[in-house]
Amino acid sequence: MAATMRIQSDWNQVLRRNEGEAWLSCRSPGKSTLYGSLTCQGVGSDGIPEISASEGFFVNEITKKSILVSCPHENVSTKFLAPYTSFCRIHQKSIICIDISSGGGLGVSSSTDGTMKIWQAANGEIRRLLEGHVYDVNCCRFFPSGLVVLSGGMDAQLKIWSAEDASCVVTFKGHKGGILDTAIVDRGRNVISSSRDGTARLWDCGKSACLGVVADCGSPVNGIALGVADNTINLGSPENAPSEREIGTEGKILLLAREDKKLQGVGLQSRQPVFLFVGSDAFNCCTFLSSIYLLAGTQDGNIYQLDVRNTKAPVQIIHRSGAPVLCLLPYRDGFIASQGDGTCFIIQQDLDHVIDLTEADCDPVYKVATWEKQIYTCCRDGMVRRYQLSDL
C-alpha cells in the first residue's frame, strides 16, 4: 500500500499566523515515518498564507481552505481540505448518523444525546425534532423525495417520519435487536433494515408490514447496501412467488457487512446467497461503486474492493491505518471513506493525490453524506462539518 500523509488537525488556523507551524508526517509500511513541518512566512493581501515546508516535503498549491503537499521520496501527494463551515449546535454529544436531502436543502442527524433532528444544510439551523424512538437512533436517512425520513433505533424499531411536520407516520416492529442500517428500494415503496439480531428484513411502507426476511446470518449485520446487479450475475430464483407488494426488488443485490468477518451478497427478490467473502475482521460498512465493483470496510482498517462476478480474491485492499473503517460512499469516479481515528479521505481514479478532509482530531468520523460538491461529516466530537470541493 502507498504511503500515507498526515497533518496537524488545526493546520488551517495555525498557518494563518505569522511563523505559525503545523506538523506533517509521511508513513510508508515497513519504513520509519518521515516527520516534517509547514511554517507560515506571512499572509498575502488575498488572505492566502505563504507557506514553507521542511526538508523532504513540498507545498505544491495553496488556497484559503486547502493545501496540496507532496513527499517526493515516497512519491505521494495529498490535498488537505479544511471545512468550509462547521455546525456545533445541532447536537450536544457524539453524532452517529447524518444524511442530506436530494435537493441539498435539509440535513438529518442522530446523536448519543438521544435526539434526531432535521436542520437547514446551509446554516445548521434546526427545523424539526423527531421524537419517538426509545434509546439512541442508530441510523437515519431521507427518502429520495427529500420529504420523508427513515430511521432505525436501538429499540429495534424502524420508523418513517414526515420532514415537514415531524410526525411519525409508520412504525415497523419485528426485529429482536437494535437496527444498525437501512436501505431504500427505488423510490421507497419498500425499505430494508439490518439488525443486531442477525437478520435483514424487507418492509412494505404502504401497509407497514414485513414482506420477509431477506437474510438470517446468525451474526449482527452492521451495514447493508443495495445495488442493481450486472446482468451476468446469477441472483437465483425465489422459492415462492414474490408478494405483489414487493416493488422494485427484481435484479437487485443486497450486500451485508457482518460482525463475523463475512461480507455476503444476497439476491433481494430471490433471498438466495450470491457470494460470501471472508475478511480480516468484522465488516462495518459496504457500498457499490458500480453494478460490478463494491467496497467493504473492516474493523482493522482494511477497505476491500471486490468484483461481484468473482469474489475469491479482492481486486485490491486499501489500508491507510489500523483504525476501523466506519463509512464508505461512492463519489464521482472513486469513493469517500471515514475511519475511527478521525481521518476522512477521498480517492479518485484520475487524481494522483488523495484528498484528506481534516479537522476531526482523533475523534471517529462516523458517517459522511454528499450533495454535489459539498461533503458533510459527523463526528464523535459533536460537530457536523461541511467541506466544499473545488473542481476535482
Side-chain angles (χ1 to χ4, degrees):
M1 182 59 206
T4 305
M5 288 175 73
R6 292 282 173 89
I7 198 166
Q8 187 172 319
S9 63
D10 60 352
W11 65 272
N12 197 38
Q13 285 96 0
V14 175
L15 296 178
R16 298 199 165 280
R17 297 196 292 270
N18 207 7
E19 296 186 355
E21 191 176 283
W23 61 262
L24 266 177
S25 71
C26 182
R27 187 179 63 87
S28 200
K31 298 184 191 172
S32 55
T33 303
L34 182 65
Y35 292 97
S37 61
L38 299 175
T39 309
C40 175
Q41 309 290 354
V43 180
S45 55
D46 54 3
I48 294 173
E50 186 73 33
I51 305 286
S52 65
S54 60
E55 194 184 340
F57 294 96
F58 289 88
V59 176
N60 304 83
E61 174 193 287
I62 183 159
T63 69
K64 282 187 179 174
K65 292 285 183 189
S66 75
I67 186 165
L68 179 61
V69 186
S70 61
C71 177
H73 183 65
E74 293 295 344
N75 191 24
V76 63
S77 47
T78 298
K79 179 182 270 189
F80 297 104
L81 189 60
Y84 178 76
T85 179
S86 298
F87 307 135
C88 60
R89 294 202 177 91
I90 299 175
H91 294 284
Q92 306 304 304
K93 286 188 182 171
S94 170
I95 305 174
I96 324 168
C97 194
I98 188 172
D99 193 27
I100 301 296
S101 66
S102 52
L106 293 176
V108 63
S109 54
S110 62
S111 162
T112 56
D113 64 12
T115 65
M116 176 167 48
K117 295 176 182 178
I118 291 175
W119 35 273
Q120 277 173 254
N123 57 16
E125 197 175 294
I126 293 163
R127 298 290 298 273
R128 296 281 179 266
L129 188 58
L130 306 179
E131 293 179 300
H133 277 287
V134 189
Y135 314 122
D136 288 350
V137 180
N138 290 332
C139 43
C140 53
R141 66 168 74 235
F142 284 101
F143 277 74
S145 67
L147 304 172
V148 186
V149 169
L150 176 67
S151 67
M154 289 288 279
D155 57 7
Q157 296 186 51
L158 190 66
K159 287 178 178 284
I160 295 176
W161 312 78
S162 159
E164 294 166 303
D165 66 5
S167 61
C168 175
V169 286
V170 175
T171 298
F172 300 110
K173 294 179 181 177
H175 278 296
K176 308 263 189 305
I179 291 169
L180 300 175
D181 202 6
T182 61
I184 293 173
V185 185
D186 293 350
R187 295 203 351 253
R189 302 213 4 222
N190 291 174
V191 297
I192 308 166
S193 57
S194 73
S195 162
R196 278 184 204 282
D197 66 14
T199 66
R201 287 171 178 264
L202 180 70
W203 307 86
D204 171 10
C205 297
K207 290 217 165 134
S208 60
C210 181
L211 290 168
V213 174
V214 181
D216 190 348
C217 310
S219 169
V221 183
N222 295 322
I224 54 176
L226 186 61
V228 176
D230 183 75
N231 54 19
T232 59
I233 297 157
N234 178 12
L235 296 180
S237 327
E239 286 174 12
N240 308 310
S243 153
E244 74 282 357
R245 303 289 305 177
E246 266 190 44
I247 315 285
T249 57
E250 199 179 352
K252 305 260 183 12
I253 183 168
L254 183 69
L255 297 182
L256 307 156
R258 296 168 33 168
E259 185 68 24
D260 60 1
K261 306 186 184 183
K262 291 175 182 149
L263 179 77
Q264 186 176 5
V266 177
L268 180 57
Q269 191 182 68
S270 70
R271 325 274 204 258
Q272 303 290 329
V274 177
F275 72 85
L276 190 65
F277 175 81
V278 181
S280 54
D281 204 345
F283 279 99
N284 291 330
C285 52
C286 52
T287 193
F288 282 93
L289 293 177
S290 68
S291 61
I292 292 167
Y293 294 115
L294 60 94
L295 291 177
T298 59
Q299 186 67 14
D300 59 356
N302 284 327
I303 298 172
Y304 291 91
Q305 183 182 350
L306 298 176
D307 181 329
V308 190
R309 298 166 301 184
N310 178 11
T311 57
K312 283 189 175 61
V315 179
Q316 63 167 335
I317 302 174
I318 297 161
H319 185 93
R320 283 172 55 89
S321 84
V325 181
L326 301 174
C327 182
L328 288 166
L329 204 62
Y331 191 73
R332 306 280 179 95
D333 343 324
F335 66 90
I336 309 174
S338 74
Q339 291 187 260
D341 56 1
T343 56
C344 184
F345 57 91
I346 306 174
I347 291 182
Q348 294 287 303
Q349 273 173 355
D350 54 350
L351 273 191
D352 58 0
H353 59 263
V354 173
I355 298 172
D356 227 37
L357 306 180
T358 63
E359 207 186 78
D361 186 10
C362 301
D363 273 306
V365 175
Y366 290 118
K367 236 354 172 244
V368 184
T370 61
W371 186 74
E372 295 186 350
K373 288 181 187 170
Q374 295 169 26
I375 297 176
Y376 294 77
T377 64
C378 70
C379 181
R380 188 174 69 187
D381 63 9
M383 301 284 267
V384 169
R385 294 181 173 87
R386 177 175 139 213
Y387 300 84
Q388 195 81 33
L389 282 183
S390 54
D391 295 307
L392 283 178

